[in-house]
Amino acid sequence: MRVSDLFIYPLKSARGIAIPSAAVDAFGLAGDRRAMLVDPSGNFITQRELQALARIDIQPTPSHLRLKMEGKPDIIVPPPHPDNRMDIVVWKSAVNASVADEDTNKALSAWMGREVRMVFFDRLAKRIANPEWAGQDTPVTFTDGYQILVTTTGSLKALNANLAAHGEGAVGMERFRPNIVIDIDEEWPEDRWAAIEIGGIRLDLVKPCSRCIMTTQDQQTGSRDVPNPMPAMGRIRMSADRRVPGPLFGWNAVPRGEGSVKIGDTVTVLEERPEGWALKRR
């Protein structure tokens, strides 16, 4: 059982970047979801309401970020000034974030067809994952809630088999925007994994990931006129636990150490939850 793919999403809800290796610290994979778009009031924006985010490529460099969108001139984003800040909200988390320069925000607003601002999770920003699941004082960036999302190839194969059996097409792993993809033939083994080790780093799988409309969107165009995994997840992956309602795919993981992971790394199961996760049966 090995790592088959690694991804980061430097700009939340924009296109992901496939990488061969990644440094890992308490926040998760280095460079993951360190930037985000917000509205003028500071409320976070994702593909859920702004599908065009799926069309943005982001290329980090040591000195700046380069944003690309087909048919548009590139946007070069310089490092934000740490004193240029605003209070923003990610779900129920309030974060004081640094803000991009005026030219960047004007250009992005033109791309998106509405007023937006780009904000950054810098060294002054603070956010903590839900201690009920992650434990005390585990830091996160602009992720939906936890540090790392783990998925498996066997589970995607099982989901696509159900889609195919109902004539509903197939979807790729990019729909689920994972950080770490594990290659394994077995379907849904992650429901039983309480902790795994990769590259000497312990990852506690603390909470299954409930899925939303973003999984129905093409991750290059933002189109929803594509095969939809929601019906299959509704048939075979509906949570029966009221604490995490809805369809499930992947698990949120919390790193308990620092180091690095790379494609090809062996994955070792350290602890299991024999009961798995309760699902509704049809």
Side-chain angles (χ1 to χ4, degrees):
M1 186 166 64
R2 297 184 180 277
V3 174
S4 61
D5 295 284
L6 294 168
F7 299 95
I8 58 171
Y9 308 85
L11 174 60
K12 184 178 178 70
S13 256
R15 291 177 181 173
I17 301 174
I19 53 176
S21 63
V24 178
D25 61 17
F27 288 93
L29 272 60
D32 188 47
R33 290 156 171 116
R34 282 355 191 230
M36 183 173 67
L37 297 190
V38 299
D39 66 21
S41 298
N43 295 306
F44 79 122
I45 299 171
T46 71
Q47 285 184 41
R48 297 170 183 88
E49 66 270 21
L50 191 57
Q51 293 164 243
L53 271 166
R55 298 173 54 207
I56 297 179
D57 268 319
I58 182 165
Q59 299 175 352
T61 79
S63 62
H64 63 267
L65 296 176
R66 180 183 294 272
L67 305 182
K68 303 174 74 70
M69 180 183 279
E70 186 177 357
K72 308 287 186 181
D74 293 359
I75 301 174
I76 305 300
V77 185
H81 193 286
D83 292 338
N84 183 21
R85 312 189 70 80
M86 67 182 295
D87 292 328
I88 62 94
V89 176
V90 187
W91 296 112
K92 296 181 180 179
S93 299
V95 181
N96 184 255
S98 57
V99 185
D101 64 288
E102 185 176 354
D103 288 345
T104 292
N105 291 328
K106 285 182 177 179
L108 277 168
S109 296
W111 278 15
M112 298 293 100
R114 56 181 283 192
E115 186 176 356
V116 299
R117 295 176 186 170
M118 189 176 187
V119 297
F120 295 86
F121 197 98
D122 63 4
R123 60 183 179 82
L124 299 178
K126 307 292 183 184
R127 185 180 177 217
I128 300 297
N130 186 339
E132 178 182 353
W133 297 97
Q136 294 296 319
D137 298 326
T138 66
V140 289
T141 58
F142 291 142
T143 65
D144 274 354
Y146 300 90
Q147 291 82 350
I148 294 172
L149 182 65
V150 174
T151 62
T152 67
T153 58
S155 297
L156 180 63
K157 183 177 179 181
L159 185 69
N160 276 326
N162 189 275
L163 284 166
H166 292 81
E168 294 167 348
V171 297
M173 192 67 84
E174 74 282 354
R175 293 289 191 91
F176 303 98
R177 299 176 69 83
N179 294 116
I180 299 175
V181 182
I182 297 171
D183 186 25
I184 184 173
D185 291 335
E186 184 182 355
E187 58 187 56
W188 318 116
E190 59 272 30
D191 285 351
R192 300 192 311 276
W193 298 342
I196 59 177
E197 183 179 273
I198 305 173
I201 304 168
R202 178 188 174 106
L203 301 176
D204 287 345
L205 277 66
V206 298
K207 186 181 182 183
C209 185
S210 57
R211 311 310 306 215
C212 69
I213 196 171
M214 277 182 60
T215 63
T216 72
Q217 296 172 187
D218 184 285
Q219 288 302 301
Q220 291 293 306
T221 67
S223 172
R224 293 175 186 163
D225 188 21
V226 288
N228 180 355
M230 279 291 192
M233 287 191 287
R235 288 187 289 265
I236 63 176
R237 294 295 296 171
M238 285 297 291
S239 176
D241 189 322
R242 293 181 180 179
R243 298 174 300 166
V244 189
L248 307 176
F249 191 94
W251 273 77
N252 293 294
V254 179
R256 303 302 187 186
E258 297 187 0
S260 64
V261 296
K262 64 182 184 300
I263 291 175
D265 274 351
T266 298
V267 180
T268 303
V269 178
L270 299 178
E271 295 179 14
E272 292 195 344
R273 53 173 68 81
E275 71 280 7
W277 189 267
L279 298 173
K280 294 180 180 179
R281 300 298 180 186
R282 289 191 174 185

